[in-house]
Amino acid sequence: MFRLSAEPVRCPFPYTYTFTYNRGHAECTYPLSTVDSCTEDWRILFRYQACPDIQGTESTTEELVCLAAWKEGSNRYLVGKSEHPLAMSDEDRYQCFVYKSWDNNTASGIMMAQSGDATCNGLYSVTGGSMTLVLRRVDTSGSKCRFPVWSNGPKWRSLDGHTTLDVNRHNSTLKLTSHAHSGPVTHACLEPFAHTKHSATYVTRVIYGCTSGYQCVHMLARDDHVLEIIMGKVTPVAVAACSPQYFDISSNNFTTFVRSTAESRQCPGTGRYEVVGGGSVGVDIRASAVASTSRSGGGGGGGSVAGGGGLGVPGGGGSGGELIPGHHSSECEDLPYTSLSVGCSTTDTLVISNRCSSAEYSCHGWWEEGGRQYLVVTPISRSSKGFRHLCLVLDHGSGVLSLASSTLSCGRDLTPGLHGHIALNTTSVGGCRSSPPINGGCGLVPSVWVLLVVTALLALLAPTSASPSGVVVAWW
């Protein structure tokens, strides 16, 4: 008897196999069928192939949820519940297997026999049963493949905080967990494809749920605490994953990740700057498209096993630049920005100010590309609804600095001075030790205060005499 409300258990063979099967007529050996483990260790997926000249074979897919496993004598048993197109009742879904492992000098695997009904009756050996299977293990672990040392986080977060990237302790597996999907997307390092000092490309075996395939993963070390990833389309053939048909190395569909333990570091472009042209909030010509993409779970690239962009997670490639919830919380904060200070209060902070208030950011990492600087910062004081990280795109000229921002990724399509929540055009007014520009304020400027104080002191110290009218006059 099988309990209908049974909780699933870990399946006893959580690997990838090819297999042959026999339903009582002849063994179906070509094309080979496959069985894959799923992201959840209590599910496995059987893909049966049809052999043209053998009765009882057909191309079908069955997902098996493992419910119980035990040993009795020399036999091991497995009970599971399968989902397949022909299953009309519980009698069709519940299955019992007897199995044992085998190995020789060149290969290893499992021999299995399946019961003909929803019982384990009459199932005494792996050579009996209504169907027998011979599974041969396929090595997809990438045991000799390792992601770069600089990718060891162990945990990273995307710029918008919606996706986490976990790297296992052997640097052989990446696990992406996104708010947009019910489960993680796992990448096992299968084969290195190309590498330089600060970049590396790999063929990975990617699994999302019980769906699997192969994908090209391009990783770039931007700084000690900043990592970017581009992913291609998913293909069923490993050797094609990094071909131009499935992967574009020149793609701008980046996803920017920040190390969860990121420390602050010195900001680039130290000095003081005065905002020209009003310093108003910028406009992102792609903001509406990016917001729509984020809501739908896509990120460009297409073909992901997780049903969206190359990563199967939102945030890749979009420039972002949407307004930050709760950022402009007062009348003072709504005033346009008037000044920018980089590395002056401390070497690892950047301060943007208007006439009444300022916003301070901590620098985490930066790099140069295409004549521009890309800087990842974190607000030092922010509300719980604020953004986690921000990417600033800086364009330096002779005495001029333009700035754009994004909360989604370091988009290469951002135009400094035009796009993003913060879009500034500034001119340099000197280094940190020079006096900041006098740009007015909500009260009296400093020079007016000095004049009043000096006047009052002179009035107290000056000699006095009485005028004919009896009025005391101060001479100074």
Side-chain angles (χ1 to χ4, degrees):
M1 300 180 70
F2 304 144
R3 187 188 299 274
L4 295 180
S5 59
E7 292 292 326
V9 299
R10 181 178 180 180
C11 296
F13 29 90
Y15 301 109
T16 296
Y17 303 85
T18 59
F19 69 90
T20 62
Y21 66 99
N22 188 331
R23 296 188 186 273
H25 298 281
E27 190 172 21
C28 180
T29 59
Y30 185 84
L32 285 172
S33 301
T34 59
V35 57
D36 280 308
S37 58
C38 300
T39 306
E40 298 88 355
D41 60 10
W42 43 266
R43 292 196 296 169
I44 51 179
L45 190 70
F46 290 87
R47 295 186 179 92
Y48 292 89
Q49 299 294 331
C51 291
D53 300 327
I54 299 178
Q55 184 180 352
T57 65
E58 60 180 341
S59 295
T60 185
T61 300
E62 292 188 20
E63 179 185 321
L64 184 72
V65 175
C66 299
L67 298 178
W70 72 94
K71 184 179 180 182
E72 184 177 329
S74 60
N75 291 329
R76 294 184 179 273
Y77 289 88
L78 170 68
V79 168
K81 187 177 182 180
S82 67
E83 293 295 338
H84 57 88
L86 300 179
M88 304 299 293
S89 66
D90 285 339
E91 286 290 329
D92 300 324
R93 294 185 178 94
Y94 284 93
Q95 298 171 355
C96 186
F97 300 88
V98 59
Y99 67 94
K100 71 174 182 179
S101 301
W102 64 269
D103 65 83
N104 54 38
N105 293 333
T106 60
S108 63
I110 295 170
M111 297 180 67
M112 300 176 63
Q114 179 184 322
S115 62
D117 55 20
T119 73
C120 295
N121 297 336
L123 202 59
Y124 301 117
S125 74
V126 295
T127 58
S130 66
M131 179 174 64
T132 58
L133 305 90
V134 179
L135 281 62
R136 182 187 183 98
R137 183 175 171 180
V138 178
D139 185 9
T140 58
S141 63
S143 56
K144 297 182 180 179
C145 180
R146 295 287 184 271
F147 293 112
V149 174
W150 39 260
S151 70
N152 187 5
K155 179 171 288 189
W156 303 74
R157 291 188 182 276
S158 62
L159 199 69
D160 60 7
H162 291 166
T163 304
T164 58
L165 170 66
D166 292 279
V167 185
N168 74 347
R169 63 188 182 92
H170 298 297
N171 272 31
S172 61
T173 302
L174 307 178
K175 184 171 72 173
L176 290 154
T177 306
S178 169
H179 293 177
H181 300 101
S182 58
V185 179
T186 302
H187 288 265
C189 188
L190 192 64
E191 182 181 357
F193 186 77
H195 70 276
T196 65
K197 183 178 180 180
H198 298 294
S199 69
T201 307
Y202 297 87
V203 176
T204 68
R205 181 173 179 269
V206 56
I207 302 174
Y208 176 68
C210 285
T211 305
S212 64
Y214 300 93
Q215 201 166 10
C216 196
V217 177
H218 183 57
M219 309 175 73
L220 300 105
R222 294 307 192 184
D223 206 303
D224 290 343
H225 303 302
V226 181
L227 174 70
E228 290 197 309
I229 293 181
I230 309 173
M231 292 192 177
K233 299 176 182 179
V234 176
T235 170
V237 183
V239 294
C242 289
S243 67
Q245 180 181 358
Y246 291 95
F247 178 70
D248 180 10
I249 189 66
S250 62
S251 169
N252 286 329
N253 189 30
F254 295 92
T255 300
T256 307
F257 289 92
V258 183
R259 197 186 300 270
S260 60
T261 57
E263 300 173 355
S264 59
R265 59 160 297 179
Q266 183 173 343
C267 304
T270 300
R272 297 183 184 275
Y273 303 84
E274 182 177 9
V275 176
V276 295
S280 59
V281 172
V283 177
D284 188 348
I285 58 176
R286 296 184 66 241
S288 59
V290 170
S292 174
T293 300
S294 179
R295 286 192 296 270
S296 65
S304 170
V305 68
L311 273 172
V313 295
S319 60
E322 71 282 357
L323 295 179
I324 308 303
H327 183 76
H328 298 292
S329 58
S330 69
E331 181 180 350
C332 189
E333 289 178 339
D334 284 329
L335 294 174
Y337 299 117
T338 56
S339 64
L340 169 67
S341 169
V342 182
C344 292
S345 55
T346 59
T347 60
D348 59 354
T349 58
L350 178 148
V351 182
I352 304 174
S353 306
N354 60 26
R355 294 179 179 180
C356 297
S357 65
S358 61
E360 191 171 0
Y361 301 87
S362 175
C363 299
H364 289 305
W366 61 276
W367 69 96
E368 294 186 356
E369 182 181 343
R372 291 176 175 172
Q373 287 181 335
Y374 295 83
L375 171 63
V376 174
V377 299
T378 297
I380 292 178
S381 59
R382 64 184 188 274
S383 68
S384 59
K385 295 182 180 179
F387 51 84
R388 184 181 295 273
H389 299 294
L390 192 68
C391 185
L392 304 180
V393 185
L394 310 175
D395 194 352
H396 291 270
S398 56
V400 177
L401 172 65
S402 297
L403 181 152
S405 67
S406 172
T407 61
L408 295 179
S409 69
C410 292
R412 276 38 172 200
D413 53 353
L414 288 166
T415 301
L418 178 63
H419 293 154
H421 153 250
I422 303 171
L424 306 176
N425 290 300
T426 71
T427 57
S428 174
V429 292
C432 289
R433 294 187 179 182
S434 60
S435 300
I438 298 172
N439 50 25
C442 296
L444 295 172
V445 294
S447 57
V448 176
W449 283 109
V450 172
L451 180 60
L452 291 175
V453 171
V454 171
T455 302
L457 290 173
L458 290 174
L460 292 173
L461 297 175
T464 61
S465 61
S467 65
S469 60
V471 177
V472 177
V473 179
W475 302 95
W476 50 274

